[in-house]
Amino acid sequence: MRPIAEAYKDFPILHKEHNGHRVIYLDSGATAQIPQVVVDRVVEHMTQHNGNPHRGSHVLAIEASEAYENARDRVVEFINAREREEVVFTRNTTESMNLIAHSYGLNNLKAGDKIIITVAEHHANLVTWQYVAEKTGATLEYMYLDESGHLKDGEINKIDETTKIVAFAHISNVLGMEFPVKELTEKAHSVGAVVVLDGAQSTPHKKIDVQELDCDFFVFSGHKMCASQGIGVLYGKRELLEAMPPFLLGGDMIEYVKEQSATFNELPYKFEAGTPNADGAVSLHAAIDYLESFGMDAIEAYEEELVAYILPKLLELPHINVIGSTNPKEKHGVIAFTIDDVHPHDVATILDAKGICVRSGHHCAQPLGAFYNVSASTRLSMYLYTRKEDLDAFLEVLKTVRSVMGFKD
Ligand code: PMP
């Protein structure tokens, strides 16, 4: 295994300058940066093996098919799916979620059924279920949180015999906290509901084993784990995917087409209409190889160390309010906060002037903001290339924010 201290130098973009400052990237929760090895593998694919996967018997179509299917096998291994039929390539978490909502949700729910999510969900795992509820007559119900970001006592009991879907983030993109997957999944399964786990913020940062998690669907995006944008994954248990109708229709997802009807391809191709993003799949393959060269457990432990380093320092500053838990052990590389009297966009702009990139806004989780009465916040999010000195630089600028805005203390 490579030591994580070596990771930083693998990312050319982290050596770029902005406003005369080295860029310090603390927005990996939005999208991760890409190491040179991933870029090189994609360039090699594009310059040596580019063809349309599954279409044609010439050398380049065959090589492109191999690259694309090898990437699938790598994902199967990475998340420990039982079989390759259970891994579908999509564009991102959002598209995977839409696939489940349309193909499973619209076809399995009816009036009187319940969909249960948490109030912390990203819009990708929220608006989708509003749509399913509206179309089917099912009810969308929320599990609420206490001040420290944990599910309130008893909320889990909202999952009852009428519940058909329980969908939640493995790790929240605002709270940085992990929901109790085992407890929620066991409860959901005890009433016959399916579990949709949003792995967008967990897959890049910790070892994922979908069999152990026992979720029915698991979704994530390549771009948050050092691959390029536009490649995502839907994992689903085979028996569920088998029973679901296709989501998108067109080339490659068919078995046989007649003038008035068509039969559909086998899994996973039934869900992959049109020319796929083979370059993206190659980049995801390369990104998994890259992350595993350090080890997912080591990446998780390193990020724990970073949070344990920065969070207490942040909490010591006056006028700072951290959203959710302030226990470093409960935050997975993501810390969202507000500064009294200063808009998060101003915080982000002041940091940006010094080359420091953080996210500000509602983080695509508006109901969570409304619930906590914090319509916007600033979020710093870390990854394996983040260094303690980056966090020190962030903190130094953060200390100046209120005085830059004209406050005396
Ligand atoms: N869910 C969570 C928890 C996320 O953090 C994100 C990305 N911010 C998404 C879903 C959506 O991911 P994408 O934009 O890649 O579809």
Side-chain angles (χ1 to χ4, degrees), residues 14 51 82 92 110-111 120 122 145 160-161 167 200 220 241 273 276 323 327 346:
L14 301 179
R82 259 173 309 252
N92 46 36
K110 56 177 186 334
H122 186 281
L145 311 178
D160 63 14
E161 299 295 326
F220 61 97
L241 294 178
I323 303 177
N327 177 352
D346 289 328

Side-chain angles (χ1 to χ4, degrees), residues 335-403:
I335 304 173
F337 61 93
T338 57
I339 301 185
D340 292 340
D341 312 313
V342 186
H343 195 281
H345 289 334
D346 289 328
V347 179
T349 306
I350 292 167
L351 287 160
D352 179 64
K354 303 285 184 194
I356 301 171
C357 309
V358 295
R359 175 88 184 263
S360 61
H362 54 62
H363 316 301
C364 299
Q366 282 181 328
L368 180 68
F371 181 69
Y372 280 142
N373 208 10
V374 184
S375 59
S377 60
T378 307
R379 181 184 74 183
L380 87 131
S381 52
M382 310 156 210
Y383 209 2
L384 74 166
Y385 42 72
T386 309
R387 302 173 306 167
K388 287 185 181 156
E389 62 197 87
D390 300 335
L391 299 175
D392 289 338
F394 157 80
L395 207 65
E396 283 317 303
V397 181
L398 201 71
K399 283 179 189 163
T400 69
V401 164
R402 277 181 55 93
S403 66

